[in-house]
Amino acid sequence: MDKYEQVIELAKRRGFLWNSFELYGGAAGFYDYGPLGSTLKRRIEQIWRDLYVIHEGYMEIETPTVGIEDVFVASGHVGGFSDPLCECTKCGEAFRADHLVSHIMEGADALSNAELDRLIRENMVKCPECKGELGEAYEFNLMFKTQVGPGTGRQGYMRPETAQGMFVDFLRLARFYREKLPFGATQIGKSYRNEISPRQGVIRLREFTQAEAEIFVDPKDKSHPNIKRFADTKLNLYSDAAQEKGSMEKMKLGQAVEQGIIAHEFLAYQIGLTNLFLTRVGVAPDRLRFRQHKKDEMAHYAMDCWDAEVSTDRFGWVEVVGIADRTDYDLSAHAAVSKTELTIYREYSEPKMVTQFVVKPHMGKLGPLFKGKAKLVAEALKSLSREELEKEEIRIMVDSEEVVIPKDVVEFAEETVKVSGENIVPHVVEPSFGIDRILYTVMEHAFDEEAISSKEEDEAGEEARIVMRFRNEVAPVQVAILPLLTREELITPAREIESRLRERGLLVSYDDSGTIGRRYRRNDEIGTPYSVTIDYDTVKDMTVTIRERDSMKQVRTPVEGIEEVLHEMMYRGREFQSAGKAL
């Protein structure tokens, strides 16, 4: 078994991850989180909230997972959110066309359907399932469609990302933050993508959890007031230039900004914050890199974009976070479709005298002429240039209909006025986290199997142990309470200790089944950092044994105050050796 199979086997056996719908044969692209997996996931999400909501101050909102069609027309998902699909002409199985030729050409996901068809023909690529002939590639939209309301209803979609809800709420958010840039909103929630062939476990799901921040910044000022926090942080940067050379660079973030490798300070700060989060939840720093989108893969609207990628045993480098400067694309797109100005007022440090071209429609004349469309006509007139307004006939488009406007209903002129500020469309810096992928990589990096030689080996009857070396902060079970025997004189103090730890906010498991060695092994497998053993010395002197998962070392410590000792080791970095007398 490779590492992936070992991790997934343990995950299923110990209650981290289960295949969804197992009673009915399952369905690719869906997983259930068991008791331990759900808890591990919540701990990861809470650390994300701690960094982005509490410390950065980007308040969390919650928007519907179903969106109306207009939202996704504006975002570009209706017209362009697709993958190239080809089907086997023999068995009918569907495949991502670019995945079928990824071993032949690097960057296959950037090829056109015609180029993919040519590669498949020239290299005689067959159906992976039955070796049949493959049909031509075509675009398959990845959104799940739904109807809002009965009957034909209103066309809707399950959201493919959490971001759009934050863009749609921009004006409300701007008021909440008193219209002072920069400000941001966060959201953790489900997203849905009807993947063509999800064959990579939790790496590629049809229903998944995202944690996203949309940070609205001044287009003319992308400095960050706290950049010094990460300026000296050294990271594995795989820039566009480094990819051309085929080698990563270890570089300070501040240096990368100075050299123009990272576009600006605000983006560099978000890369540093992403690194802090990923290493804090348990991603190994030496298996983490930040890869810049190359020029031919960068979205046309993006100023700069970096992916946090994590090295995995089976899948190689996997993207778990995308960090992008999306410029004003999103707000401008929603403004155009909704016909609502999505801007914010930026006050100048000193007023300016500005010459402006001003268009003044006469609403008193437009009203009788155009009735309910008078406002739309006025807005269209304001967008015309001097040349257009000076033509013999003034023509505008209103609701897809061309309208001729009488010259006497509009005036225009250049005026010099004192201006105290201007309305601007903010740019958006977006860090987008795939929580499910992060959870899997945390599990893989925590997984360890080691030979043992101790008394525990004899009691457990094993020569090796499997250990999930979770960081204390993310471990789903924090403390195991283990009475040495199922005797009332040991059970009573064990239950009392369990109660005290729960009251202190620690997640505790109580286990009195099997030998103490086997119980240690069970807790090693699920990553429990500390085990408390209650024995007959506890009855005599009110002390217990605390065992540390990673080193298997033990100390003897008083029951009195044990909840504070364990809490400090879990959250305050207290050294294990200070917890009691070494055994």
Side-chain angles (χ1 to χ4, degrees), residues 47-59:
I47 291 170
W48 192 88
R49 286 187 174 97
D50 180 58
L51 289 175
Y52 283 87
V53 181
I54 296 175
H55 287 93
E56 295 298 312
Y58 303 138
M59 297 296 285

Side-chain angles (χ1 to χ4, degrees), residues 298-545:
M298 187 93 69
H300 65 88
Y301 52 79
M303 175 179 286
D304 196 5
C305 185
W306 293 75
D307 290 340
E309 297 182 332
V310 178
S311 176
T312 63
D313 191 59
R314 174 178 288 192
F315 306 114
W317 289 99
V318 172
E319 175 200 348
V320 296
V321 186
I323 309 141
D325 181 333
R326 298 174 61 88
T327 64
D328 63 359
Y329 171 79
D330 302 285
L331 292 181
S332 295
H334 282 292
V337 174
S338 68
K339 296 181 173 56
T340 303
E341 191 175 85
L342 300 179
T343 60
I344 197 165
Y345 184 74
R346 178 178 61 190
E347 191 169 345
Y348 298 141
S349 55
E350 292 183 5
K352 300 178 181 179
M353 299 303 293
V354 177
T355 301
Q356 297 179 330
F357 179 67
V358 180
V359 179
K360 298 177 181 178
H362 294 298
M363 295 305 296
K365 294 181 179 180
L366 288 177
L369 285 172
F370 297 102
K371 306 292 191 293
K373 292 185 178 180
K375 186 178 179 182
L376 292 176
V377 171
E379 291 300 320
L381 287 170
K382 288 179 182 178
S383 68
L384 296 181
S385 65
R386 175 187 286 274
E387 291 73 20
E388 290 169 310
L389 289 165
E390 287 178 340
K391 288 180 179 178
E392 288 298 319
E393 288 187 332
I394 302 173
R395 295 177 177 270
I396 60 171
M397 297 296 293
V398 178
D399 286 346
S400 303
E401 180 185 347
E402 189 175 63
V403 178
V404 178
I405 306 296
K407 281 184 165 293
D408 66 343
V409 302
V410 60
E411 293 180 0
F412 53 91
E414 285 190 349
E415 296 179 357
T416 300
V417 294
K418 181 185 285 188
V419 178
S420 298
E422 62 181 324
N423 288 320
I424 61 168
V425 180
H427 284 196
V428 174
V429 175
E430 176 194 75
S432 176
F433 294 71
I435 296 297
D436 308 271
R437 290 186 177 191
I438 292 168
L439 181 142
Y440 170 75
T441 57
V442 165
M443 289 192 69
E444 183 175 303
H445 289 193
F447 183 92
D448 190 22
E449 189 171 11
E450 65 176 9
I452 56 174
S453 178
S454 68
K455 283 199 308 181
E456 289 185 18
E457 174 189 331
D458 299 330
E459 292 182 15
E462 299 165 355
E463 296 180 356
R465 70 169 185 150
I466 293 173
V467 190
M468 294 299 284
R469 300 187 188 276
F470 290 129
R471 299 287 298 271
N472 281 2
E473 200 175 5
V474 301
V477 175
Q478 297 171 315
V479 183
I481 303 297
L482 312 175
L484 191 63
L485 299 169
T486 53
R487 303 278 174 81
E488 188 60 34
E489 58 268 31
L490 299 183
I491 291 173
T492 299
R495 289 297 188 184
E496 289 174 356
I497 293 171
E498 177 192 14
S499 178
R500 288 166 64 173
L501 296 183
R502 290 187 190 280
E503 287 179 7
R504 190 63 184 86
L506 297 173
L507 204 157
V508 181
S509 73
Y510 183 95
D511 186 356
D512 60 8
S513 176
T515 66
I516 194 68
R518 288 196 181 278
R519 284 183 271 168
Y520 284 150
R521 289 294 164 272
R522 285 200 291 268
N523 280 283
D524 290 341
E525 275 197 333
I526 65 172
T528 307
Y530 304 107
S531 296
V532 176
T533 303
I534 293 87
D535 54 26
Y536 281 100
D537 284 339
T538 306
V539 178
K540 294 177 186 176
D541 60 12
M542 291 302 289
T543 62
V544 292
T545 297

